[in-house]
Amino acid sequence: MNNKVIFLSLFMIIFSCYKDQHVSKNFDNHIFPSFFHRNPSNPFFSKNEISILKNIFKNWNFFSKKDLSNSNGYNSEENRLFKHGFNEFINSLNFDLDQTKTRAAVDTLNEFITKYPNSQKIQEIRNILVKLIKRLEKRDYYIANTYFFMHKYKASLIYFKDFIKKYPKSIYKENALYKICIITYKMADNREKASDFFDAYQRYIKLYPDSSFKIRKLNIFYKKLLKL
């Protein structure tokens, strides 16, 4: 098997272990550095941890000149594009509001899949893409939620609606729809705007009928707006 495929498979296993804290305690102080053991609720690397990862890949010399040649039946352009996409993935590991590098990595890796659909690296690249897209998903929810807590309801409503369109199967969908209900209630200063709440309310209770606590709260809003 090609060395890159072996490396990437190992890397994705380590990446998964680091995220879910499944690495054996026997490795804690011997094989893997401490950044592979962290709170799974925060699946993003700090700047210091990213620097450590970059140094690891550099020291391993994963992308040597030999790798970028036509040896072993590999296309040099394929390897260059793969290296470019993988480097952008490493550079995008930190989580902040500016996800330009993440989008650049997604675009490059999608370009690779289009150009080399039969490459041995395809599965590893798809695994990386899933992680990148999840990062963008969390970032978009974070922005909408930030506007919500700042009481900038118009902006928050726009971002939450856009979020649901972009990520219809997101784990944050219920929270997004619930907050849309709250936002439309806050903005319902007349009968016409109250209809926006009623629509959001009906959608929420239809999709999440077992969310009894949230529905009870929304029912209070519903009764108040009926009096407008």
Side-chain angles (χ1 to χ4, degrees):
M1 184 180 294
N2 181 267
N3 288 335
K4 293 190 185 67
V5 177
I6 295 174
F7 171 83
L8 275 181
S9 298
L10 178 60
F11 172 76
M12 296 311 295
I13 291 172
I14 294 174
F15 192 95
S16 176
C17 289
Y18 126 81
K19 179 181 177 184
D20 298 324
Q21 294 184 312
H22 288 164
V23 181
S24 169
K25 291 183 180 179
N26 294 329
F27 293 161
D28 282 353
N29 299 316
H30 301 285
I31 298 179
F32 296 115
S34 61
F35 57 76
F36 285 124
H37 307 275
R38 56 192 290 134
N39 188 342
S41 66
N42 180 22
F44 300 98
F45 293 93
S46 70
K47 290 182 179 180
N48 184 54
E49 291 164 344
I50 294 168
S51 178
I52 294 172
L53 280 174
K54 287 181 179 178
N55 286 332
I56 289 174
F57 297 136
K58 181 179 180 181
N59 292 336
W60 281 358
N61 196 24
F62 180 57
F63 298 108
S64 65
K65 291 182 178 179
K66 182 178 179 181
D67 289 327
L68 299 179
S69 70
N70 287 319
S71 61
N72 298 323
Y74 277 85
N75 181 284
S76 59
E77 175 59 27
E78 175 183 345
N79 281 294
R80 276 193 291 270
L81 183 58
F82 174 75
K83 177 185 177 182
H84 181 52
F86 193 84
N87 284 338
E88 286 184 336
F89 164 65
I90 296 301
N91 289 331
S92 74
L93 288 176
N94 58 309
F95 175 72
D96 52 37
L97 288 180
D98 184 4
Q99 287 292 297
T100 302
K101 291 179 180 178
T102 302
R103 296 188 186 281
V106 169
D107 291 342
T108 300
L109 294 176
N110 276 325
E111 179 185 355
F112 183 94
I113 290 175
T114 300
K115 286 188 175 181
Y116 308 105
N118 298 318
S119 171
Q120 293 184 31
K121 308 178 184 76
I122 286 295
Q123 188 56 53
E124 286 76 15
I125 287 177
R126 286 175 176 161
N127 290 341
I128 292 173
L129 277 172
V130 168
K131 295 181 183 299
L132 292 175
I133 291 171
K134 285 184 178 180
R135 185 172 295 114
L136 292 174
E137 175 185 337
K138 184 169 184 176
R139 173 260 190 187
D140 288 349
Y141 179 82
Y142 177 83
I143 291 176
N145 214 31
T146 298
Y147 280 118
F148 178 82
F149 285 116
M150 291 173 63
H151 296 175
K152 295 184 180 295
Y153 294 126
K154 288 184 179 180
S156 183
L157 183 60
I158 291 172
Y159 276 103
F160 273 130
K161 286 184 175 180
D162 184 62
F163 175 85
I164 291 170
K165 288 180 181 178
K166 288 169 64 176
Y167 312 104
K169 297 182 180 180
S170 172
I171 61 173
Y172 306 111
K173 183 177 179 178
E174 179 182 356
N175 284 336
L177 289 174
Y178 177 68
K179 286 177 179 176
I180 286 176
C181 289
I182 295 177
I183 291 169
T184 51
Y185 169 75
K186 296 285 187 180
M187 296 173 63
D189 53 7
N190 58 54
R191 187 68 182 179
E192 182 179 353
K193 290 185 178 180
S195 65
D196 293 334
F197 167 82
F198 295 141
D199 291 340
Y201 168 84
Q202 292 296 336
R203 183 179 185 184
Y204 182 84
I205 64 173
K206 181 179 180 180
L207 291 175
Y208 306 104
D210 297 326
S211 299
S212 55
F213 175 78
K214 292 179 180 178
I215 290 176
R216 283 198 299 271
K217 186 173 181 179
L218 294 179
N219 283 338
I220 295 173
F221 297 160
Y222 186 90
K223 293 176 181 178
K224 288 184 177 179
L225 292 183
L226 284 177
K227 298 177 182 179
L228 288 178

